[in-house]
């Protein structure tokens, strides 16, 4: 057998139904191990930008709402800068951590993200990506974490020019990536794992 | 952070190496697998960047699952789980956040939805976390988890396993997997293990017994190295862009 010129990535396995034990023990009720869970908020007091709340659910192909899903979110600050050590364009807002973990409510399955609306981010090969929040969705029955993005239905002009949205061949599916505005600073976003109106998932 | 930040586009995932979303032997995947093709494109800044994790955010016992719940020792066979996080070129990944969770020695999880007959261990919480050092290395002290039955086929059992979440330098490298133990006869029978089609990929998840790291008269050790998605080029901060 010839040796591969690279090491293969460690293969994924499902997060299973008990992911909260490891990633959000305090939210589960297993207090006492860590003072607080990681990723409790993507922003701190004083974060610049428009405060928004996004609520939503994760549903399966039978239309059932998942109560064991965990979503991680990653976003830029209001200027479009990532609060990351490898962000080369400048220093992001110190009150934006950019990263959060949100879990489906154990009873209703609804999740809530309180954050700021991110700015546009340049695309490496030209163009500008419309304001978006990257999502990584794991749950029992999900064998490898699913990548998707929240875009905003009220960013029409920016969305039209986004090189990632332009990749989508079936234009009627694009709406599955748009958070619906339900009020002042309030949005609704459903992740549909399968079936009619299945959310667009990426391989980026 | 002492280490220069790593940049550059992420290498595309080999989707045939990973388990497919739809794997009917694992019944829950049937209604939770997307049926449409993924929209593939080269990574962007949104996948190439990620938050910083430092040793300073860790508590002293965070990687010691034997003691980190009550301070009194958990019941079970004492083991070290250790290894190295590396990229596809074998370079160490420092500053990676590793979080693990597992059942107790009887195969029971501390979770409101686990009603298995084996009792909870009052001194076992079942989670730990650490951040890799400059050489990409990590270590946990824990107990060997028990196997447990689960509703899927008529008599399916999970092999002994430790769930592990890995966060490297980019959000697009995000990975959750499970570590199995060398020699466990339940591995080959497990529908979740067998969602992975390639036998060599499964082998990557089976940690060998590592007597060189075992502590005499104290604990055994298992070695679990983790490889993350690589990057096509590496730029260092002290070099001008594009060099
Ligand atoms: Fe498990």
């Amino acid at each position: 057998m010839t040796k591969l010129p690279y090491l293969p990535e460690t293969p994924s396995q499902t997060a299973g139904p008990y992911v909260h034990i490891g990633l959000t023990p305090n939210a589960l009720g297993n207090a006492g191990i860590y003072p607080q869970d990681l990723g409790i908020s993507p922003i701190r007091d004083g974060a610049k930008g428009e405060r928004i709340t996004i609520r939503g659910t994760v549903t399966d192909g039978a239309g059932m709402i998942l109560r064991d899903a965990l979503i991680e979110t990653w976003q830029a600050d209001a200027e479009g800068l990532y609060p990351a050590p490898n962000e080369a364009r400048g220093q992001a807002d110190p009150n934006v951590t950019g990263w959060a973990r949100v879990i489906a409510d154990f009873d209703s399955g609804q999740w809530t993200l309180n954050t700021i609306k991110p700015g546009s981010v340049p695309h490496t090969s030209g163009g500008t990506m419309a304001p978006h929040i990257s999502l990584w969705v794991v749950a029992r029955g999900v064998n490898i974490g699913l990548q998707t993005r929240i875009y905003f239905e009220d960013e029409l002009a920016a969305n039209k020019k986004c090189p990632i949205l332009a990749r989508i061949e079936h234009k009627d599916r694009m709406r599955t990536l748009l958070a619906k505005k339900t009020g002042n600073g309030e949005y609704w976003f459903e992740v549909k794992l399968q079936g009619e109106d299945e959310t667009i998932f990426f391989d980026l | 952070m002492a280490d220069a930040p790593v940049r550059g586009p992420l290498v595309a995932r080999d989707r045939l190496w990973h388990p497919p979303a739809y794997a009917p032997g694992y019944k829950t995947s049937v209604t939770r697998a997307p049926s449409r093709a993924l929209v593939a494109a080269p990574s962007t800044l949104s996948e190439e960047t990620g938050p910083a994790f430092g040793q300073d955010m860790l508590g002293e016992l965070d990687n010691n699952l034997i003691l980190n719940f009550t301070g009194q020792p958990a019941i079970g066979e004492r083991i070290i789980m250790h290894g190295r996080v590396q990229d596809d070129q074998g370079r160490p990944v420092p500053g990676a956040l590793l979080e693990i969770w597992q059942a107790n020695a009887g195969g029971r999880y501390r979770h409101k939805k686990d009603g298995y007959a084996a009792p909870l261990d009052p001194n076992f919480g079942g989670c730990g976390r650490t951040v890799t050092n400059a050489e990409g290395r990590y270590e946990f002290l824990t107990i060997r988890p028990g196997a447990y039955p689960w509703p899927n086929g008529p008599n399916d059992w999970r092999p002994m396993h430790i769930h592990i979440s890995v966060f490297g330098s980019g959000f697009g490298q995000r990975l959750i997997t499970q570590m199995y133990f060398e020699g466990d006869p339940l591995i080959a029978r497990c529908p979740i293990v067998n969602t992975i089609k390639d036998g060599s990929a499964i082998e990557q998840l089976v940690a060998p017994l590592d007597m060189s790291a075992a502590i005499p008269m104290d604990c055994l050790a298992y070695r679990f190295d983790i490889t993350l998605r690589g990057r096509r080029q590496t730029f260092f901060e002290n070099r001008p862009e594009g060099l």
Side-chain angles (χ1 to χ4, degrees), chain A residues 7-97:
Chain A
L7 299 168
E9 187 184 5
T10 298
S12 172
Q13 290 271 264
T14 180
Y18 306 128
V19 61
H20 321 90
I21 298 174
L23 303 190
T24 61
N26 289 291
L28 174 65
N30 291 358
I33 304 169
Y34 312 138
Q36 63 175 27
D37 293 334
L38 294 177
I40 50 172
S41 176
I43 53 167
R44 285 187 278 260
D45 289 347
K48 295 186 194 83
E50 183 196 349
R51 296 289 172 130
I52 57 169
T53 298
I54 307 170
R55 294 185 183 84
T57 52
V58 182
T59 52
D60 70 13
M64 298 286 287
I65 295 172
L66 274 63
R67 288 163 174 81
D68 51 15
L70 180 143
I71 301 175
E72 286 191 5
T73 73
W74 174 240
Q75 67 170 90
D77 71 6
E79 303 296 322
L81 290 169
Y82 278 104
N86 57 359
E87 168 60 88
R89 296 170 296 149
Q91 188 68 45
D93 183 343
N95 291 317
V96 174
T97 68

Side-chain angles (χ1 to χ4, degrees), chain B residues 9-10 20 68 73 79 90 113-114 116 140 192-193 203 206 218 241:
Chain B
L10 296 168
N68 73 8
I79 59 168
K113 287 184 182 158
D114 188 1
Y116 182 39
F140 290 100
I192 288 178
V193 171
E203 273 172 42
V206 182
D218 184 342
E241 267 317 298

Side-chain angles (χ1 to χ4, degrees), chain B residues 218-237:
Chain B
D218 184 342
C219 59
L220 289 173
Y222 286 85
R223 174 151 187 157
F224 190 61
D225 291 338
I226 297 159
T227 306
L228 295 181
R229 278 178 82 181
R231 291 177 186 264
R232 281 212 297 280
Q233 281 165 300
T234 307
F235 296 111
F236 294 101
E237 198 162 51

Side-chain angles (χ1 to χ4, degrees), chain A residues 7 11 13 72 82 101 132, chain B residues 35 46 88 99 174 177 180:
Chain A
L7 299 168
Q13 290 271 264
E72 286 191 5
Y82 278 104
R101 279 179 174 152
H132 66 277
Chain B
S35 53
S46 305
D88 65 338
E99 295 159 286
R174 205 69 187 78
T177 190
Y180 304 100

Side-chain angles (χ1 to χ4, degrees), chain B:
Chain B
M1 287 252 298
D3 304 287
V6 201
R7 302 204 176 95
L10 296 168
V11 171
R13 276 199 152 124
D14 180 351
R15 297 273 165 185
L16 298 175
W17 190 253
H18 288 284
Y22 177 79
Y26 175 23
K27 291 199 175 131
T28 316
S29 78
V30 170
T31 53
R32 294 185 172 193
S35 53
R36 312 277 201 125
L38 301 175
V39 174
S43 66
T44 74
L45 280 176
S46 305
E47 293 75 41
E48 293 157 17
T49 54
F53 299 105
Q55 311 274 347
D56 53 349
M57 56 176 243
L58 300 171
E60 206 185 326
L61 292 177
D62 280 7
N63 67 340
N64 182 340
L65 286 76
I66 291 180
L67 290 179
N68 73 8
F69 194 48
T70 61
Q72 296 300 307
I75 292 168
E77 193 180 327
R78 296 161 63 83
I79 59 168
I80 287 170
M81 167 187 179
H82 78 115
R84 185 174 178 265
V85 181
Q86 60 197 3
D87 70 7
D88 65 338
Q89 302 299 312
R91 291 174 294 213
V93 179
L97 173 68
L98 300 185
E99 295 159 286
I100 65 171
W101 67 101
Q102 63 170 89
N104 68 21
R108 173 80 181 267
Y109 282 99
R110 187 171 287 281
H111 193 288
K112 56 179 107 184
K113 287 184 182 158
D114 188 1
Y116 182 39
L120 286 171
D121 175 349
N123 295 314
F124 190 67
C127 71
R129 65 186 182 191
T130 191
V131 173
T132 56
N133 68 14
E135 287 82 50
R137 300 199 51 86
Y138 75 91
E139 181 177 89
F140 290 100
L141 181 63
T142 186
I143 51 97
R144 188 197 294 270
Y148 58 85
W150 60 296
N152 186 63
N155 190 15
D156 281 329
W157 289 71
R158 295 303 329 279
M160 300 177 287
H161 63 279
I162 295 178
H163 297 265
I164 180 160
S165 161
V166 192
F167 206 145
S169 54
F171 192 60
Q173 292 173 311
R174 205 69 187 78
L175 179 73
I176 280 181
T177 190
Q178 302 182 29
M179 181 195 98
Y180 304 100
F181 293 79
E182 178 185 7
D184 186 342
L186 293 173
I187 295 172
R189 296 169 177 267
C190 176
I192 288 178
V193 171
N194 290 319
T195 58
I196 301 174
K197 300 298 169 224
D198 191 315
S200 325
I202 292 174
E203 273 172 42
Q204 238 182 321
L205 299 182
V206 182
L209 178 69
D210 180 8
M211 290 308 285
S212 71
I215 302 173
M217 306 306 289
D218 184 342
C219 59
L220 289 173
Y222 286 85
R223 174 151 187 157
F224 190 61
D225 291 338
I226 297 159
T227 306
L228 295 181
R229 278 178 82 181
R231 291 177 186 264
R232 281 212 297 280
Q233 281 165 300
T234 307
F235 296 111
F236 294 101
E237 198 162 51
N238 54 358
R239 288 191 201 161
E241 267 317 298
L243 198 75

